[in-house]
Amino acid sequence: MPYPAQTDRTAIIQTAQVLIERDGVDQLALAQLAAALGIKAPSLYRHVASKTALLAAVNTLTSQQLFQAFDRALQAAPTLPAARLLAVFRAQRAFAQANPHCYALLFNTIAPAEQADEQMLEQLALPLQELIGRLAGPEHALAALRGALALVHGFVTLELNGQFRRGGDLGAAFEAAIAAYLAGWQPR
Amino acid sequence: MPYPAQTDRTAIIQTAQVLIERDGVDQLALAQLAAALGIKAPSLYRHVASKTALLAAVNTLTSQQLFQAFDRALQAAPTLPAARLLAVFRAQRAFAQANPHCYALLFNTIAPAEQADEQMLEQLALPLQELIGRLAGPEHALAALRGALALVHGFVTLELNGQFRRGGDLGAAFEAAIAAYLAGWQPR
DNA sequence: GTCTATATGCCGATAGAC
DNA sequence: GTCTATCGGCATATAGAC
């Protein structure tokens, strides 16, 4: 065998994710990725159809990791719905801060071709919708969940992009905003 | 005059904004931009230092337009603080939907070199902080404003990127989420 | 001090040999 | 499955015409 298999699709995607997180998405060159795997750039095309498909696969991997982070947070959280929701939101903020480039790639992608598998994010959403339904009422569960996801995602996005430039305790603002939002959905 | 000025910095930036909004940021080629202006690509470098500087200038222009949209919304809004805030948030969502690519470029940019002038966004924030302070109390104004900006920005971002895939009335969810958030900050 | 013409080097992607 | 060779497109820089 003159050219033995030196890599596979999984290794390519994992290495791409590491490089993206280290240098940013637009700094990822296929030649650099191939070099990190000990091969040449054109060989990558035997495993992934295009750079766009590669980014979509990285997004799927990232969403799997985010799902696992949510799962760990839920397992360690108390039983009250509000506490469980807060644990998940904190986990999302922590994940975004630990993996800013991959987090941005996962959610800030307008092009559908680079989006992760739909199933994955669906799995993330349904348990949260049930939890928030217990606070806001089942008929408001979807709208309340969407607002909560928006609040958390918007906060970490603005935070990561340096749009909160006037100092102060951002962690405290995050907690207070979520507390206010959840309180606002509960009937008085 | 053999080579009369065919363009200037303002025309370049405006045309770049139009092309970005039409095709997306990463589809913007300087050769294409120059062709749209009736000149050749290298001539652009007499007006802008680099593509990064050009994108920063586009961001500044976009933030000016967003500021004007906020101003128009405030002039047409009633006097109650909650109503004025809602008018601004609606204007932000409408602006994002009308200019999705430029909106994303303005806020989803990690690289500081491509960010708009700080002054501009500061001018946007201060009147809103005063308004929300009247609901949540002045001592909570900054945190409450940050949460509100996060909620609105996160919602329109997820909406534009197609992350709300389960149908339903997104406009109603937007309104309900903001109402809950503002209600949650008001002392009971 | 405009613009045109030209050159360099990097990137994504394809074709074909082994 | 990997390689070499190559293409087209891009941002960028320089030289020079007017």
Side-chain angles (χ1 to χ4, degrees):
Chain A
M1 269 183 268
Y3 290 113
Q6 297 176 18
T7 188
D8 60 356
R9 184 180 164 86
T10 303
I12 290 175
I13 294 165
Q14 286 176 344
T15 305
Q17 194 193 38
V18 170
L19 291 178
I20 287 171
E21 198 47 65
R22 198 189 64 185
D23 302 328
V25 203
D26 30 45
Q27 291 300 316
L28 177 72
L30 294 191
Q32 175 204 28
L33 171 61
L37 291 159
I39 60 176
K40 300 292 180 182
S43 305
L44 294 171
Y45 286 84
R46 295 285 165 180
H47 304 276
V48 291
S50 65
K51 187 177 185 181
T52 299
L54 171 69
L55 294 182
V58 170
N59 273 344
T60 299
L61 174 61
T62 304
S63 70
Q64 286 169 354
Q65 295 166 343
L66 181 60
F67 181 77
Q68 290 166 7
F70 282 9
D71 220 44
R72 282 193 298 272
L74 279 174
Q75 282 175 11
T79 55
L80 277 181
R84 296 181 73 76
L85 286 167
L86 187 56
V88 169
F89 298 152
R90 283 176 176 155
Q92 181 169 346
R93 179 163 178 253
F95 185 90
Q97 288 176 337
N99 314 281
H101 286 115
C102 290
Y103 181 88
L105 182 64
L106 177 58
F107 287 109
N108 295 341
T109 302
I110 292 186
E114 297 178 10
Q115 286 185 356
D117 292 349
E118 286 196 29
Q119 261 190 326
M120 203 65 56
L121 298 173
E122 213 72 0
Q123 276 186 325
L124 291 172
L126 289 180
L128 298 179
Q129 185 173 345
E130 194 272 332
L131 277 173
I132 210 165
R134 283 196 238 165
L135 295 180
E139 72 277 20
H140 301 131
L142 182 55
L145 172 64
R146 283 171 165 167
L149 294 177
L151 175 56
V152 174
H153 172 67
F155 197 97
V156 300
T157 298
L158 292 175
E159 195 177 8
L160 286 178
N161 292 337
Q163 304 287 357
F164 291 146
R165 301 174 193 159
R166 278 186 284 160
D169 188 339
L170 290 181
F174 181 76
E175 304 275 334
I178 290 173
Y181 178 78
L182 293 179
W185 273 107
Q186 285 167 300
R188 307 200 172 195
Chain B
M1 269 186 266
Y3 285 112
Q6 296 177 18
T7 189
D8 58 357
R9 185 179 164 86
T10 303
I12 291 175
I13 294 165
Q14 285 176 347
T15 305
Q17 193 194 37
V18 171
L19 292 179
I20 287 172
E21 197 48 63
R22 199 188 62 185
D23 302 327
V25 202
D26 30 46
Q27 292 300 316
L28 177 72
L30 293 192
Q32 176 203 30
L33 172 61
L37 292 160
I39 60 176
K40 301 291 180 181
S43 304
L44 293 171
Y45 285 85
R46 298 289 160 174
H47 304 276
V48 290
S50 67
K51 189 176 184 180
T52 298
L54 172 68
L55 294 182
V58 170
N59 272 345
T60 300
L61 174 61
T62 303
S63 70
Q64 286 170 354
Q65 294 166 345
L66 182 59
F67 181 76
Q68 289 166 8
F70 282 10
D71 219 45
R72 281 193 298 271
L74 279 174
Q75 282 175 11
T79 54
L80 278 180
R84 296 181 74 75
L85 285 167
L86 187 58
V88 169
F89 298 152
R90 283 176 177 156
Q92 181 169 347
R93 178 162 178 253
F95 186 89
Q97 289 177 336
N99 314 281
H101 286 115
C102 290
Y103 181 88
L105 182 64
L106 178 58
F107 287 109
N108 295 341
T109 303
I110 293 187
E114 296 178 11
Q115 285 187 356
D117 292 347
E118 286 197 27
Q119 260 191 326
M120 203 66 56
L121 298 173
E122 212 73 359
Q123 275 185 326
L124 291 173
L126 289 180
L128 298 180
Q129 185 173 347
E130 194 272 333
L131 277 173
I132 210 165
R134 284 196 237 165
L135 295 180
E139 72 276 22
H140 301 130
L142 182 55
L145 172 64
R146 283 171 166 166
L149 294 177
L151 175 57
V152 174
H153 173 68
F155 196 98
V156 300
T157 298
L158 293 175
E159 194 178 8
L160 286 178
N161 293 336
Q163 305 288 357
F164 291 146
R165 300 173 192 159
R166 279 187 284 159
D169 188 339
L170 290 180
F174 181 76
E175 303 275 333
I178 290 173
Y181 178 77
L182 293 180
W185 273 107
Q186 285 167 300
R188 308 200 171 196

